[in-house]
């Protein structure tokens, strides 16, 4: 996609490699790769809503290495909603189990990449993040994303871009460079206009995971869901405080302070600070509008939706299809084995939430992206995407951590890493 080369692997070859080396003991179509987990490790079917099934297996990869696979299948007619949840604040982190508890979810897995290197805002999602229909982090433009639309609509996986603008009541309009992040610091690059690599100074619009870009002239939006004080930028920065009605109530300079409940603030540095000084004076209105579009330019309906930007894609149209270059992912990252969290979608709309354990020599070695894609194909996925992995990979079902996270700790619960957000599976409330 996006004019970049994707890694294509013959499906038959991968299917044979994975199927021939898989431990199988169940005829259940949702558990065709599964064997019963150890006693007490899995909830019974009675504990899960209709249409949900949870299975675990240990597979043998092509070289004989074992990998433990946890699969939660969510049928399209299951009486649940699958959505994103970030706890009390976008800017902070929490464990997947605590995020599940807060959402009263029956199951959850970790979600987006996030800014673990940030001194104050470790929960800052890296790339597109939409929760409850609100855009809370801008896209790393062109990266692959999982779209969970409103109720009754099918999930899909595609490459997305976002664009946000602010319009003053005096008629002036400006581009908003980012949402909920430190102004001028673009982790993973792939932003809008004027971004430069910190290592070379070169202008770039490409996604570059692991790299940091900068822009001295930025306008960044902080919705109320940010949930923390806004960054204090340089002494010439300006911050417009906007109430729930879209009216500017105060202007701070330099920036840094609370976000009003139901409202937002906008922080400007460089030329964007000048725009706020001129057009965001107290009493004026500021309207912030965002659009998310797919590769064909079609607008994604955000009302009631959840969107997780991550990548790369793993499966498309039932075939292994890894668009690593388009997502800025190196071949080394494609080939290395790690714990992984991935999501697949079957042709009937069944959602597969899958976690591969790793970094446990002789027990569960993890998978490469190519191996993960092959296993997703064998599970019947028509499309699939890679989410955050490594120490973040966690699956909670029935209020218990069901996989073995790879961070330090004596128990699976203690090994949970605090993450930015999660995909949560929440039973629908019965209304009269």
């Amino acid at each position: 996609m996006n004019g970049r080369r994707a890694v294509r692997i013959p499906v038959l070859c991968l299917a044979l490699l994975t199927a021939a080396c898989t431990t199988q003991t169940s005829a259940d179509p949702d558990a065709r790769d599964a064997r019963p987990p150890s006693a007490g490790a899995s909830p019974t079917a009675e504990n899960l809503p209709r249409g949900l099934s949870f299975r675990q297996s240990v597979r043998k990869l092509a070289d004989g290495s074992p990998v433990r696979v946890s699969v939660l299948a969510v049928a399209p007619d299951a009486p649940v909603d699958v959505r994103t949840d970030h706890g009390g604040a976008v800017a902070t982190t929490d464990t997947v189990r605590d995020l599940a508890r807060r959402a009263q979810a029956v199951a959850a897995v970790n979600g987006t990449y996030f800014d673990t290197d940030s001194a104050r805002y470790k929960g800052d999602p890296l790339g597109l993040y939409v929760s409850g229909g609100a855009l809370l982090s801008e896209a790393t433009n062109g990266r692959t994303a999982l779209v969970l639309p409103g109720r009754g609509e099918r999930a899909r996986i595609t490459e997305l871009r976002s664009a946000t603008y602010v319009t003053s009541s005096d008629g002036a309009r400006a581009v908003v460079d980012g949402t909920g992040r430190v102004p001028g610091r673009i982790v993973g690059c792939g932003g809008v206009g004027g971004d430069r690599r910190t290592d070379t100074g070169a202008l770039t619009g490409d996604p570059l995971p692991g790299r940091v870009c900068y822009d001295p002239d930025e306008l960044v939006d902080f919705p109320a869901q940010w949930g923390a004080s806004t960054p204090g930028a340089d002494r010439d920065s300006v911050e417009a405080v906007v109430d729930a009605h879209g009216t500017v109530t105060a202007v701070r300079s330099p920036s840094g302070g609370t976000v009003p409940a139901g409202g937002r603030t906008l922080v400007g540095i460089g030329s964007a600070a000048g725009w706020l000084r001129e057009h965001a004076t107290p009493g004026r209105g500021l309207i912030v509008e965002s659009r998310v579009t797919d590769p064909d330019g079609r607008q994604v309906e955000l009302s009631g939706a959840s969107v997780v930007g991550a990548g790369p894609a793993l499966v498309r149209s039932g075939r292994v299809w890894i668009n690593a270059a388009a997502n800025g992912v190196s071949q080394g990252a494609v080939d290395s084995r790690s714990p992984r969290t991935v999501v697949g979608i079957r042709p009937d709309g069944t959602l597969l939430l899958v976690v591969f354990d790793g970094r446990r020599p002789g027990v569960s070695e993890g998978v490469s992206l190519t191996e993960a894609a092959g296993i997703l194909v064998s599970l019947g996925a028509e499309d699939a995407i890679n989410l955050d992995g490594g120490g973040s990979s966690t699956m909670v079902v029935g209020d218990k951590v069901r996989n073995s996270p790879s961070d330090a700790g004596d128990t699976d619960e203690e090994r949970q890493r605090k993450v930015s957000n999660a995909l949560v599976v929440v039973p629908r409330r019965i209304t009269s």
Side-chain angles (χ1 to χ4, degrees):
M1 300 294 290
N2 301 322
R4 305 294 184 85
R5 183 172 60 87
V7 177
R8 300 175 186 270
I9 308 295
V11 176
L12 178 59
C13 174
L14 269 173
L16 289 173
L17 281 174
T18 52
C21 300
T22 302
T23 303
Q24 296 186 356
T25 60
S26 173
D28 184 334
D30 279 332
R32 69 193 97 175
D33 71 319
R35 63 185 175 89
S38 58
S42 171
T44 64
E46 290 75 22
N47 291 336
L48 291 175
R50 172 184 56 81
L52 270 64
S53 65
F54 174 65
R55 300 289 186 271
Q56 289 180 308
S57 67
V58 175
R59 286 181 176 247
K60 295 291 185 180
L61 301 172
D63 64 357
S65 298
V67 60
R68 187 182 187 217
V69 188
S70 303
V71 180
L72 181 76
V74 183
D77 61 348
V80 299
D81 294 311
V82 184
R83 57 176 174 81
T84 54
D85 197 284
H86 50 265
V90 173
T92 61
T93 57
D94 216 332
T95 66
V96 173
R97 187 173 66 174
D98 283 344
L99 289 170
R101 285 175 173 174
R102 180 182 183 277
Q104 298 183 322
V106 295
V109 297
N110 61 291
T112 61
Y113 304 113
F114 55 103
D115 190 3
T116 56
D117 292 332
S118 173
R120 294 181 58 193
Y121 308 115
K122 294 187 182 300
D124 178 14
L126 300 182
L128 187 60
Y129 178 63
V130 174
S131 185
L135 189 145
L136 302 177
S137 179
E138 79 278 11
T140 302
N141 280 324
R143 291 202 74 167
T144 306
L146 169 69
V147 182
L148 300 168
R151 185 174 299 182
E153 298 180 65
R154 176 180 168 147
R156 66 186 179 115
I157 295 167
T158 188
E159 287 65 58
L160 295 177
R161 294 177 175 271
S162 65
T164 300
Y165 299 90
V166 58
T167 304
S168 170
S169 56
D170 68 2
R173 191 170 188 247
V175 172
V176 176
D177 297 85
T179 300
R181 63 166 171 79
V182 175
R185 182 173 183 264
I186 307 100
V187 181
C189 304
V192 296
D195 295 352
R196 293 184 178 274
R197 293 179 56 159
T198 54
D199 54 348
T200 66
L203 281 167
T204 182
D206 295 332
L208 300 170
R211 302 285 185 180
V212 179
C213 286
Y214 71 95
D215 183 345
D217 302 290
E218 279 209 315
L219 188 59
V220 176
D221 175 40
F222 290 89
Q225 294 92 327
W226 177 247
S229 294
T230 56
D234 61 68
R235 65 181 183 181
D236 294 322
S237 61
V238 173
E239 182 171 19
V241 181
V242 183
D243 67 15
H245 304 291
T247 302
V248 178
T249 60
V251 175
R252 298 191 282 241
S253 184
S255 64
T258 59
V259 181
R264 62 187 350 109
T265 73
L266 290 113
V267 174
I269 59 173
S271 62
W275 190 92
L276 288 175
R277 286 191 185 94
E278 183 175 356
H279 303 290
T281 54
R284 281 186 176 162
L286 287 182
I287 302 299
V288 177
E289 297 174 296
S290 298
R291 297 177 70 249
V292 174
T293 54
D294 67 15
D296 296 322
R298 293 174 298 197
Q299 186 167 343
V300 176
E301 175 57 52
L302 296 185
S303 178
S306 293
V307 184
V308 174
L314 301 176
V315 178
R316 190 144 297 172
S317 301
R319 300 171 60 87
V320 174
W321 194 87
I322 304 175
N323 59 347
N327 280 265
V329 176
S330 69
Q331 190 60 46
V334 171
D335 295 337
S336 62
R337 283 180 176 166
S338 293
R340 308 276 184 189
T341 301
V342 304
V343 175
I345 305 171
R346 287 179 176 158
D348 67 353
T350 295
L351 201 65
L352 302 172
L353 308 182
V354 183
V355 169
F356 301 95
D357 283 348
R359 298 174 183 165
R360 302 176 66 201
V363 177
S364 189
E365 304 275 358
V367 289
S368 69
L369 291 178
T370 303
E371 289 166 335
I375 292 172
L376 264 292
V377 169
S378 76
L379 289 171
E382 180 179 51
D383 294 289
I385 182 176
N386 180 62
L387 301 184
D388 189 19
S392 298
S393 286
T394 307
M395 178 176 284
V396 170
V397 180
D399 198 43
K400 292 184 180 180
V401 178
R402 300 294 175 173
N403 72 311
S404 292
S406 62
D407 279 2
D410 293 331
T411 67
D412 291 339
E413 283 74 18
E414 291 176 356
R415 285 191 285 270
Q416 290 182 90
R417 176 179 293 179
K418 288 187 175 182
V419 298
S420 173
N421 50 65
L423 300 183
V424 295
V425 183
V426 182
R428 290 179 186 157
R429 296 185 181 277
I430 298 175
T431 58
S432 57

